[in-house]
């Protein structure tokens, strides 16, 4: 068996073309404000990618970078200014932040109507209650869209998520068990015992642990769909800069074992960025409902009435 690759780059490009048409119907293109703290190389790279894709769509970006030692008060004041700035439609606070408590305060300080990342407790609550009108976090939403693009069913199947992060594992578990996706969901994390046997029982495995070579060939049953959310940088002298990007799974070995597999890069990453753009377009459409094209928002599929 050779796995079919889930080409996130291709699916994301199609979504972005649809967004161009939606943006053309709006009185103005969206404007997203990005806040980044410190010089974490991955955060710099991700915000850079998001800004580049936004620019290509005609979406405006504002980027503010603060030093690692910044006071929480300074960040909350910046977010408050953006909340009351009518020119800004979406706000994104790039994780990780200096501490978990800092991250919680910053996410909660974003106006829920501009929370295009979906991490405000209000939007998280809407997701947990399957209520439309909020924003769904970009990576989980992108994973569902990728499965949908390849007609991979979730209904009644066992989805195993490795990683319980606020950004991926936790919201993804809510989305997959929603009445739109109907999966049976197991979430594993760093304290889970029997990781191997749980992973082996998956029909759909999503690894979002951030650990290279965590998922090895003998852990996965034949025919499993494997979604690799890992974005790990590993030393490799044959690559420019002496580093190479890899996921959580042993890609060459799993290619011959599973039915579908996402590459890293080119799988989940581009879907995350496309979903951010979609959420930003949605934020402006909510302000101008008369200018909305007829594409139904994903909540209508995830949370059927
Ligand atoms: N860090 C890694 N992924 C993400 C994301 O999707 N949003 C934010 N805000 N931070 C991240």
């Amino acid at each position: 068996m050779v796995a079919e690759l889930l080409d996130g780059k291709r699916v994301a490009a199609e979504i972005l073309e649809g967004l161009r048409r939606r943006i053309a119907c709006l009185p103005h293109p969206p404007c997203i404000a990005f806040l980044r703290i410190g010089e974490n190389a991955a955060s710099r790279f991700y915000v850079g990618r998001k800004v580049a894709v936004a620019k290509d769509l005609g979406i405006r970006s504002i980027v503010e970078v603060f030093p690692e030692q910044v006071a929480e008060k300074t960040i909350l004041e910046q977010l408050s200014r953006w909340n009351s700035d009518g020119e800004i439609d979406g706000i994104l606070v790039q994780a990780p932040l200096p501490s978990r408590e800092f991250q919680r305060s910053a996410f909660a300080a974003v106006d829920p109507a501009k929370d295009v990342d979906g991490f405000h407790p209000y939007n998280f609550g809407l997701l947990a209650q399957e209520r439309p009108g909020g924003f769904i976090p970009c990576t989980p939403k992108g994973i569902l869209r990728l499965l949908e693009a390849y007609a991979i069913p979730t209904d009644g199947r066992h989805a195993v998520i490795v990683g319980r992060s606020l950004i991926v594992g936790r919201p993804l578990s809510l989305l997959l068990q929603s009445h739109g996706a109907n999966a049976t969901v197991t979430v594993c994390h760093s304290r889970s015992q029997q990781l191997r046997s749980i992973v082996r029982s998956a029909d759909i495995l999503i690894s979002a642990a951030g650990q290279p070579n965590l998922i090895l060939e003998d852990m996965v049953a034949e025919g499993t769909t494997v979604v690799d959310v890992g974005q790990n940088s590993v030393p490799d002298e044959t690559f420019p800069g002496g580093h190479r990007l890899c996921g959580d799974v042993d890609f060459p070995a799993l290619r011959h074992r599973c039915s579908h597999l996402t590459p890293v890069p080119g799988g989940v990453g581009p879907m995350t960025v496309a979903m951010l753009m979609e959420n930003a377009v949605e934020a402006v459409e909510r302000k101008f409902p008369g200018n909305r094209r007829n594409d139904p928002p994903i909540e209508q599929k995830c949370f059927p009435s």
Side-chain angles (χ1 to χ4, degrees):
M1 173 179 280
V2 178
E4 181 179 8
L5 293 185
L6 303 179
D7 186 350
K9 209 168 158 185
R10 178 185 66 76
V11 176
E14 285 169 14
I15 291 168
L16 295 178
E17 282 315 303
L19 291 180
R20 272 184 214 287
R21 294 190 285 276
R22 284 167 66 177
I23 292 169
C25 296
L26 296 173
H28 63 79
C31 172
I32 309 175
F34 294 90
L35 191 151
R36 184 162 70 67
I37 300 180
E39 288 309 319
N40 177 305
S43 290
R44 263 170 52 181
F45 173 79
Y46 294 140
V47 171
R49 272 307 298 152
K50 291 167 186 174
V51 169
V53 172
K55 186 168 180 217
D56 189 58
L57 283 180
I59 293 178
R60 268 202 324 133
S61 297
I62 294 168
V63 181
E64 287 287 344
V65 181
F66 292 87
E68 190 76 32
Q69 290 75 23
V70 68
E72 198 175 302
K73 183 167 167 279
T74 308
I75 297 302
L76 299 185
E77 283 167 0
Q78 177 66 72
L79 293 172
S80 169
R81 278 194 295 278
W82 283 346
N83 284 342
S84 48
D85 183 339
E87 301 249 306
I88 292 173
D89 306 295
I91 298 173
L92 184 144
V93 179
Q94 185 69 25
L97 271 74
S99 72
R100 215 191 276 196
E101 189 44 52
F102 199 145
Q103 181 162 301
R104 261 198 286 263
S105 315
F107 286 166
V110 173
D111 176 351
K114 298 188 179 188
D115 176 33
V116 286
D117 242 355
F119 297 142
H120 188 283
Y122 176 75
N123 284 321
F124 228 82
L126 292 181
L127 169 61
Q129 294 189 9
E130 301 193 22
R131 287 168 68 138
F135 291 103
I136 298 176
C138 303
T139 300
K141 188 180 175 192
I143 291 170
L144 249 73
R145 290 286 278 279
L146 192 56
L147 296 176
E148 185 183 80
Y150 282 86
I152 295 167
T154 52
D155 211 292
R157 301 180 81 206
H158 187 202
V160 174
I161 301 169
V162 184
R164 57 181 159 180
S165 72
L166 188 69
I167 287 169
V168 184
R170 207 165 288 217
L172 181 60
S173 69
L174 294 170
L175 261 187
L176 279 168
Q177 67 186 278
S178 72
H179 287 77
N182 293 306
T184 303
V185 182
T186 304
V187 181
C188 299
H189 48 78
S190 51
R191 300 282 185 93
S192 294
Q193 295 176 354
Q194 319 291 350
L195 179 71
R196 272 174 178 267
S197 62
I198 298 169
V199 165
R200 233 192 132 75
S201 70
D203 298 309
I204 301 170
L205 171 68
I206 301 108
S207 184
Q211 206 176 308
N213 282 322
L214 176 69
I215 307 296
L216 303 173
E217 186 180 9
D218 63 342
M219 294 168 73
V220 177
E222 280 228 5
T224 309
T225 290
V226 178
V227 176
D228 190 351
V229 190
Q231 302 261 351
N232 310 299
S233 175
V234 292
D236 188 334
E237 286 311 320
T238 65
F239 276 71
H243 282 85
R244 151 177 79 82
L245 191 66
C246 76
D248 290 352
V249 314
D250 179 355
F251 183 88
L254 262 79
R255 257 213 101 164
H256 297 282
R257 193 152 186 91
C258 39
S259 64
H260 299 87
L261 177 60
T262 57
V264 178
V268 174
M271 294 301 294
T272 298
V273 179
M275 292 302 102
L276 174 66
M277 302 304 139
E278 185 172 272
N279 283 353
V281 171
E282 177 69 31
V284 182
E285 285 176 343
R286 286 180 190 165
K287 287 204 258 181
F288 303 99
N291 295 72
R292 185 191 278 284
R293 277 176 60 93
N294 261 347
D295 303 329
I298 190 173
E299 293 97 321
Q300 282 177 18
K301 285 185 224 152
C302 290
F303 313 145
S305 47

